[in-house]
Structure formats: C-alpha cells, structure tokens
Amino acid sequence: MKNRLKYWSLLVAACVFFTACSDEFLEVEPKGRSLEDNYYKNAEEAYNGLVAAYDPIGWSSGDYITKLFSSNAGSDDFYAGGGNAQDITNAQVFSNYTLDAATGPQGSLWSKGFSGIFRVNTLLLKLPEIDMDDNVKARYTAELKFLRAFYYFDLIRFFYEIPLLTEPIDPDNMYNVEQVPADQVYDQIEADLLAAIPGLPTSVPRSTEAGRATQGAGHALLGKVYLWREKYAEAAQEFAAVNGTPGGTSQYGYELLDNFAELWDTSNKYNTESIMEVSHTSKSNGVWDCIGCTEGNILNIMTAPRDYNVLVPGQAPDYVSGWSFLPVTQDLVDQYDRIEDKRYPATISNIDSLAQAGTLSYTPGYQNTGFFLAKVAGKQSDVSTGGGNYELNFYQNEYEIRLADTYLLEAETLVRSGGNASRAQALLDAVRTRAGLTSVPATVENIMQERRLELAGEGHRWFDLVRTGMAASELADKGFVAGKHDRLPIPLLELTNTKLVQDPAY
C-alpha cells in the first residue's frame, strides 16, 4: 500500500463531499449532498474518509491562522510580529487583546474544529453499512471517536459555549443548532476517548501509518481533559500509562530523546518522544492561489527573520529569509540559564547579536526583539525543490503531544492531588537532567516554569496560563482581561440567522 497516511495528502475531494473549504460551519450549502449519499460504498472510500477526517488537524487558513501561531501570539512568550501592526490582523488583535467578534483568529479555529467534527460524524454514520473487514472497521471507529474528542477539546478550550454535534446535521436544520453547557461537551469528550482507547493500536508502523491515533495518544489526551476538569487523580493515572518509569521506556515505547536539539531535526519525525504529531509535507505543491490548501508548515517561513542574509558562511544559522512573525519576548529569554540550559540554543536564536558581530544581516520586523524561535524558523536546507511556492512547502512536523509534556503534566497532577511525591520529583528531574540542569523541588510553581522552558513555542503556554488562572497576571501587560480573554468570541458570521448566542463577555 502506498504511504499515503504518512503525509495525509489525500483530501477525498473534501470540498465536494464535505462542503466547500471556504464555507463556514452552519453556512453549508447542500450542493454536495447527493454525491455524499453515493459515497462510502467500500473499504477504499472508507479509508479516504478517514484520511479526510484527520486532515483538519494540520490546516492553516487563507489568512495564515493556525492553532500554533495563534496560541503563541496570545501568550507572554511571543509578540505577533511580522511587517507592521496590521500584518495578519487576526493574530495581532489576539496578541494585544483587542479582538472582537468580527476580528481575530476565532473564525479559522471554529471552522477547522467543526469541519473535522463534520467529517468524523459523516463517516461514523456511514461506517456500519460499509462492506469491509470488521477489525478494520472497529479501528476506524476508534480513530474517529478519538478525532472527535480532539477537535472538541480544542473548541471547548477556545470558546465559551459551543454546539455539541454527534451526528451529521441535515442542511435544513443547520440554522437551528444551539449551544450546550461546557460540561456537556467535556462529558462527550471523555465518553469518546474511553470508547476509543481499547480499539486503538498500541503502536503503528512508522513507514506506512505514522500520524494515526494510538492508545498512548488516547491516554495522553484523556489525561489532559481530566486535568482541565481538575480530576487530578484520574489525570495522573492516564499520564502514568503513557509515561511509564521516568527516564525509561514506557509500555508504548515512548522515551525521552537524549539530545533535546534532535527534536527539531526536520528529518526526525515520529521519534520515540512523539505521542501525537501534526504532519506536514513538501509534496502538496502549495501555491499562493490557495494558501489554505497547502500541507506544508507555513510557520517555517513566517518565523524566519526578514531579509535574512548570511555574511560569514558557517558562522550563522542557515535560515531562509522570512517574515519575522512571533518574535520572542525578552521575558522568555530571561527565564533561561543561557549557559547551562541545553534547550536555550535549540529554542531561541539571538539574531541581533550575530548581526552586531557582522556575521549576518536582517531587517528588524514589527515588535522586533532580536530573538527568534529557532525550533521552527525555516532553514535553507529544508527548502522544497518540488512544485509550488517553496514558502508554503516546508515539511517540518509539529508536536501536538510529546513525552516531556506528559511527564510534566503528570508531575503537576501528582502534586495537586497529593499523590506520589517521589514520582513527581523523578518526572521533573528527568526533564531537567536532559536539559543539563540540577534538581529543584517538584512544586506547582517549578513545574509550570519547567513547562514554559521545555515547551516554548509549541503552543502550550497560553492554554497553561488560562487553565491555571495565571493569565490575568502574566498577560496583563498585553491587555488581557480576566473573564473575557480566556476564551475567544464566537465568529460574527456564525451568529447571523442562527440560534447561536455570543459569549456575554463580548
């Protein structure tokens, strides 16, 4: 079988079978309905539908909005940056907390989540009647429930109250959909994951199925859901199933890489630390005419320095000339022990100091600090030589969940629940030891600080600040208002002629 799942490049003509890519949720025209009714007749079409259900995980919108870009811009570790204060306005207003229902990243994030849910629900409805192997069908069912939980977990963390859809909505009823309380959504997420985990494989072959859901990913996601609901003992149990013995190899084969920098080697995909990964490829040949159609990693070009030019070969990073988004804040830089912490040079590039030394030149962008996100800044060595525009076709994957993340989350849940203190300490120590640092007590404060340093730029910080109630203080300088900016407004277009009600804070 061709290695299609590794790159998730097959969209099943998604704009035909699952509504147009540009349509908003609840604004779908029924023009593709007859085609959909005649689809899903055999195993191949079911497989195509499964690939399409995964696909929104890695979506970027036509205005470059992604979950990773947005959550980084909204945190205290980055500014939005770019060329000027109007460059990708939907990210700027999240970074400085001037967003409203009409402007912000919410439209793209809402559409992405509900597009994924729509695809999942459609295939779940069709799957029982498809003539195919029962074991394969059972696995697909488990994967789809995992995906529905994943999409809903993102949506409920970003939005106040949302619709809960567990089956396809007839076009005639789309405008009558109503929101439900957040706890009802969380209950469905938990139910989906508990149903999914036993049917997921313990591992998948990297060469043919890398990127598909596994039991480890299911336990890790369920642990995160429990943590958000402050079910600390249950969360610790789920994370323990993933983590195994701190510093060792878990039952699912996960283990920390010895060298932190190797996590950011673009060829080191689906390594032993990776639990859930967002796949990108240079093979989709993305072009400017359809930015949202590319399966490349657009953050690679977005975060590289503007007008970048190496003046002394071998003395400066081999970055491409990019757009200077997500400049690193001085506050994040100051948190690192720049001498001892091995993570620092793999996380942050001090381009200003190299420019002053004469080894490179660049044009400072908007909100420039001189510090750039080394984890994802695009490299010349990774420029695609295939079709399409190279800027849209970088192939670096993104970690959605990795082992150091779940180590630190388990340590946090153990401390908060009064659980095994020695295990919490061992989990924290394992992460710090790899970084070349000595032990510190396993307190909530120290664990949250470690998460900031270990996972900088990976999209976790904003969620951590909101979850723990730290956002009001840590983001005050950016304009964050408690009780309002810990979620996004419902997109304005979704309120037109529907029964959806805007978040009262907006």
Side-chain angles (χ1 to χ4, degrees):
M1 185 173 73
K2 293 182 179 179
N3 186 14
R4 291 179 290 180
L5 277 169
K6 182 175 180 181
Y7 299 109
W8 301 107
S9 59
L10 183 57
L11 304 185
V12 201
C15 291
V16 176
F17 293 113
F18 297 94
T19 77
C21 291
S22 60
D23 284 347
E24 298 290 336
F25 173 68
L26 297 184
E27 298 178 3
V28 180
E29 297 295 333
K31 58 190 176 183
R33 190 175 176 188
S34 62
L35 289 173
E36 179 194 316
D37 288 342
N38 292 320
Y39 205 65
Y40 306 115
K41 299 299 184 183
N42 54 49
E44 181 180 4
E45 291 177 353
Y47 174 81
N48 292 345
L50 179 67
V51 175
Y54 272 96
D55 192 67
I57 292 176
W59 274 9
S60 60
S61 66
D63 61 352
Y64 304 98
I65 290 296
T66 66
K67 181 175 77 170
L68 184 58
F69 178 31
S70 302
S71 55
N72 279 339
S75 77
D76 54 343
D77 291 343
F78 303 91
Y79 302 111
N84 54 59
Q86 287 75 46
D87 202 351
I88 308 185
T89 302
N90 287 337
Q92 301 289 346
V93 297
F94 191 28
S95 186
N96 60 30
Y97 290 97
T98 59
L99 73 166
D100 56 30
T103 309
Q106 61 270 12
S108 297
L109 297 172
W110 178 281
S111 179
K112 169 184 174 176
F114 279 109
S115 293
I117 289 164
F118 187 92
R119 297 176 180 205
V120 166
N121 287 342
T122 299
L123 185 52
L124 277 174
L125 179 68
K126 301 284 188 176
L127 201 56
E129 304 303 320
I130 300 175
D131 184 15
M132 59 187 294
D133 181 270
D134 287 341
N135 291 327
V136 176
K137 186 182 294 188
R139 179 182 176 185
Y140 284 14
T141 300
E143 289 182 84
L144 290 166
K145 289 185 176 182
F146 169 87
L147 288 171
R148 186 165 63 190
F150 175 82
Y151 291 128
Y152 263 123
F153 187 50
D154 275 352
L155 285 166
I156 199 59
R157 289 186 297 166
F158 272 128
F159 298 98
Y160 174 65
E161 286 187 349
I162 58 178
L164 178 59
L165 308 175
T166 57
E167 59 184 27
I169 297 296
D170 187 279
D172 295 335
N173 294 325
M174 287 181 179
Y175 298 97
N176 295 317
V177 172
E178 298 182 6
Q179 295 138 293
V180 301
D183 279 343
Q184 192 172 333
V185 177
Y186 274 115
D187 287 345
Q188 182 63 49
I189 294 171
E190 290 184 15
D192 275 342
L193 288 172
L194 290 169
I197 290 171
L200 295 172
T202 57
S203 63
V204 295
R206 177 178 176 181
S207 62
T208 56
E209 297 185 2
R212 294 180 68 171
T214 61
Q215 286 188 12
H219 283 297
L221 183 57
L222 183 56
K224 292 194 174 199
V225 173
Y226 284 148
L227 178 58
W228 271 76
R229 303 192 81 179
E230 299 184 358
K231 297 180 178 181
Y232 298 126
E234 294 92 331
Q237 183 176 352
E238 296 300 320
F239 291 133
V242 176
N243 296 335
T245 302
T249 303
S250 78
Q251 63 175 323
Y252 297 117
Y254 303 129
E255 61 179 328
L256 296 177
L257 298 185
D258 292 335
N259 183 353
F260 179 84
E262 290 180 357
L263 287 163
W264 316 109
D265 179 345
T266 52
S267 65
N268 194 20
K269 298 186 176 188
Y270 310 111
N271 54 65
T272 60
E273 192 163 336
S274 176
I275 297 171
M276 183 178 178
E277 201 160 313
V278 180
S279 299
H280 291 290
T281 177
S282 61
K283 299 181 184 299
S284 66
N285 301 329
V287 294
W288 295 118
D289 289 345
C290 187
I291 296 168
C293 299
T294 186
E295 294 186 29
N297 188 337
I298 62 172
L299 274 184
N300 290 157
I301 192 68
M302 292 177 71
T303 57
R306 299 178 82 84
D307 301 320
Y308 184 79
N309 183 35
V310 175
L311 302 177
V312 183
Q315 299 298 309
D318 71 331
Y319 297 143
V320 297
S321 179
W323 305 341
S324 289
F325 283 98
L326 297 181
V328 180
T329 63
Q330 184 69 51
D331 182 59
L332 175 59
V333 173
D334 291 343
Q335 304 304 310
Y336 285 94
D337 182 330
R338 297 190 224 179
I339 303 300
E340 299 296 332
D341 196 330
K342 297 176 182 179
R343 297 170 298 198
Y344 177 74
T347 301
I348 297 173
S349 288
N350 187 346
I351 296 300
D352 252 10
S353 66
L354 295 175
Q356 292 171 16
T359 61
L360 60 84
S361 63
Y362 81 107
T363 299
Y366 177 59
Q367 299 175 308
N368 179 64
T369 62
F371 297 102
F372 291 79
L373 182 56
K375 287 180 177 179
V376 299
K379 299 180 178 62
Q380 292 285 354
S381 55
D382 293 331
V383 169
S384 170
T385 57
N389 299 98
Y390 81 87
E391 296 94 337
L392 302 178
N393 290 286
F394 285 89
Y395 60 90
Q396 183 183 22
N397 284 2
E398 301 165 12
Y399 296 107
E400 182 67 36
I401 309 173
R402 63 181 175 91
L403 194 60
D405 174 20
T406 56
Y407 267 29
L408 294 172
L409 288 178
E410 185 188 349
E412 180 189 344
T413 59
L414 289 171
V415 172
R416 290 188 185 276
S417 64
N420 188 329
S422 61
R423 179 172 172 84
Q425 187 68 58
L427 289 160
L428 176 59
D429 287 348
V431 174
R432 289 182 60 83
T433 296
R434 179 175 65 176
L437 303 175
T438 58
S439 178
V440 295
T443 62
V444 170
E445 181 180 4
N446 285 340
I447 292 167
M448 296 306 297
Q449 174 72 353
E450 207 62 39
R451 286 184 60 76
R452 187 180 188 186
L453 301 177
E454 173 73 22
L455 303 170
E458 297 177 51
H460 299 285
R461 177 65 174 173
W462 184 83
F463 289 111
D464 279 348
L465 292 177
V466 170
R467 173 175 62 83
T468 59
M470 297 166 56
S473 59
E474 298 302 315
L475 297 174
D477 291 345
K478 297 186 80 172
F480 184 96
V481 175
K484 177 178 182 179
H485 293 132
D486 48 1
R487 63 251 187 183
L488 299 173
I490 293 177
L492 184 62
L493 287 176
E494 308 302 335
L495 300 173
T496 305
N497 298 322
T498 72
K499 291 187 176 180
L500 301 187
V501 179
Q502 184 59 276
D503 182 340
Y506 289 91

